[in-house]
């Protein structure tokens, strides 16, 4: 079932972030899908949603989607078709008038990227002085206009030490959730030196800390591009349950309902600004183009997507891991490291139990 479609509405952006997935520059924006083509994508998504019995969420992403002059026309059309629209933005373009337009467009939630709890850290990663302050101002405008928003943060060695501060900042700003992205070395992120990225042990430690914060249930937390969090959080919940009365836990001890770790091509798909379809925004395996082939046909019949949906085709230690059906490893990081999207997750330190 398709639950989330991320659409790269435009390649244009007013920032040039060090870890961005995009590799094209603003000069290629002329090849963005036209308004008519974009409306066609919405119609295709609505048809797919109708066939599966529920409408997916359509995330208007980029680039910076607010750089697109017809963005609200397309958002409002999606809303009219019963699709749930969401907006992913850097927040710097949201003044009070823009926040009001977002509020009235049908957008159900806005995600704003903050890659540090302070301007010093955020601005360094965003490569623009004042971007942190501008994002906070945008968040303030969303809050004053009662627009639900979440904070997205991509973890690197530059900001890992601020994780607790990020949670506190998100709560103080009134965010409904914090989504933590584990860096995938694609696009501009390929330029990160190895010493700037967390290693497998540091990822593991980070996920243990996140699991402990999540159990406090003070704010919604989701880890993206860190599928082994599904294993870590289960292990942490079981360890915690040993110190808690079993009757008080209910169900899987101390553990909320979870989805599978890597959802690339399973519940998630990505459509690029020229209509190309990929399993996710970080995995450059082209599965078709919505301007040439119906989205529904791509979703149900593409062979690459079918392969990714089969955990029995995972290779390396992912293939023998007892957590492969809830984790699956990051297919994009496997592809980046080896050229094989079914290879083992290169940033996982867990040794499978092969009894």
């Amino acid at each position: 079932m398709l639950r989330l479609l991320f659409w790269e509405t435009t390649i244009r952006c007013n920032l040039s972030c060090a870890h961005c997935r995009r590799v094209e520059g603003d000069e290629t924006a002329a090849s963005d899908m036209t308004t008519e083509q974009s409306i066609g994508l919405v119609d295709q998504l609505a048809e797919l949603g109708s066939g599966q019995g529920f409408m997916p969420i359509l995330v208007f992403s980029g680039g910076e989607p607010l750089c697109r002059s017809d963005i609200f026309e397309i958002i409002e059309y999606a809303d009219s078709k019963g699709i749930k629209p969401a907006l992913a933005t850097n927040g710097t373009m949201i003044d009070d008038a823009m926040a009001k337009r977002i509020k009235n467009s049908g957008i159900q939630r806005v995600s704003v990227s903050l890659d540090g709890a302070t301007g010093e850290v955020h601005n360094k990663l965003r490569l623009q002085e004042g971007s942190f302050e501008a994002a906070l101002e945008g968040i303030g405008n969303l809050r004053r206009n009662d627009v639900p928003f979440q904070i997205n943060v991509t973890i690197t060695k530059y900001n890992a030490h601020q994780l607790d501060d990020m949670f506190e900042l998100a709560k103080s700003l009134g965010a409904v959730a914090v989504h933590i992205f584990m860096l995938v070395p694609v696009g501009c992120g390929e330029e990160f030196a190895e010493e700037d990225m967390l290693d497998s042990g540091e990822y593991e430690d980070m996920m243990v800390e996140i699991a402990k914060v999540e159990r406090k249930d003070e704010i919604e937390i989701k880890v993206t591009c860190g599928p082994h969090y599904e294993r870590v959080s289960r292990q942490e919940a079981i360890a915690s349950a040993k110190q808690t009365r079993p009757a008080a836990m209910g169900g899987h001890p101390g553990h909320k309902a979870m989805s599978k770790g890597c959802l690339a091509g399973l519940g998630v798909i990505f459509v690029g600004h020229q209509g190309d379809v990929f399993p996710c925004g970080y995995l450059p395996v082209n599965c078709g183009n919505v301007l040439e082939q119906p989205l529904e046909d791509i979703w149900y019949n593409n062979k690459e997507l079918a392969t990714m949906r089969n955990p029995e085709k995972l290779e390396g230690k992912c293939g023998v891991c007892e957590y492969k059906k809830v984790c699956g490893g990051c297919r994009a990081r496997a592809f980046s490291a080896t050229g094989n999207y079914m290879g083992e997750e290169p940033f996982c330190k867990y040794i499978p139990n092969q009894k």
Side-chain angles (χ1 to χ4, degrees), residues 78-275:
D79 183 56
S80 75
K81 300 292 286 187
I83 291 168
K84 302 171 183 177
L87 179 68
T89 174
N90 60 45
T92 61
M93 298 177 67
I94 303 177
D95 57 16
D96 187 67
M98 183 69 77
K100 285 181 168 60
R101 290 200 71 182
I102 292 170
K103 173 71 174 178
N104 296 327
S105 69
I107 287 290
Q108 297 196 357
R109 184 184 290 190
V110 176
S111 62
V112 180
S113 297
L114 288 180
D115 291 318
T118 60
E120 179 184 4
V121 173
H122 176 92
N123 294 341
K124 181 176 182 179
L125 283 166
R126 295 277 152 176
L127 302 181
Q128 183 168 314
E129 286 301 318
S131 59
F132 179 73
E133 293 75 14
L136 290 187
E137 185 174 346
I139 287 170
N141 288 322
L142 291 172
R143 186 176 188 178
R144 280 188 290 275
N145 284 279
D146 297 319
V147 179
F149 65 91
Q150 69 185 47
I151 301 300
N152 287 359
V153 53
T154 299
I155 296 295
T156 68
K157 283 192 175 180
Y158 290 120
N159 60 10
H161 66 286
Q162 289 194 333
L163 185 63
D164 288 340
D165 293 334
M166 285 299 304
F167 287 127
E168 292 305 314
L169 176 61
K171 288 187 288 185
S172 71
L173 292 172
V176 297
V178 177
H179 285 209
I180 301 161
F181 288 70
M182 298 302 182
L183 182 68
V184 180
V186 297
C188 297
E190 286 185 304
E191 298 177 9
F192 267 64
E194 186 174 341
E195 60 267 24
D196 297 328
M197 296 177 61
L198 300 179
D199 61 31
S200 61
E202 290 169 322
Y203 265 127
E204 188 86 3
D205 293 341
M206 179 70 65
M207 291 181 186
V208 169
E209 291 307 309
I210 294 170
K212 291 177 180 177
V213 173
E214 185 182 24
R215 284 205 307 276
K216 295 179 182 177
D217 205 24
E218 296 176 341
I219 191 169
E220 176 192 317
I221 296 173
K222 186 179 188 321
V223 177
T224 300
C225 300
H228 28 312
Y229 180 69
E230 297 297 330
R231 166 186 55 80
V232 171
S233 56
R234 282 166 169 79
Q235 291 172 325
E236 284 299 301
I238 291 170
S240 175
K242 290 178 180 179
Q243 303 174 20
T244 309
R245 291 186 300 110
M249 304 309 296
H252 189 60
H255 187 68
K256 299 177 182 178
M258 292 187 182
S259 64
K260 187 176 183 293
C262 182
L263 293 174
L266 283 82
V268 169
I269 207 164
F270 180 90
V271 177
H273 73 113
Q274 296 176 309

Side-chain angles (χ1 to χ4, degrees), residues 283 313 315 331 333-344:
L283 180 50
K313 293 189 176 183
E315 301 175 17
R331 299 300 95 222
R333 275 197 294 271
F335 183 82
S336 176
T338 68
N340 175 13
Y341 60 77
M342 296 306 286
E344 67 181 46

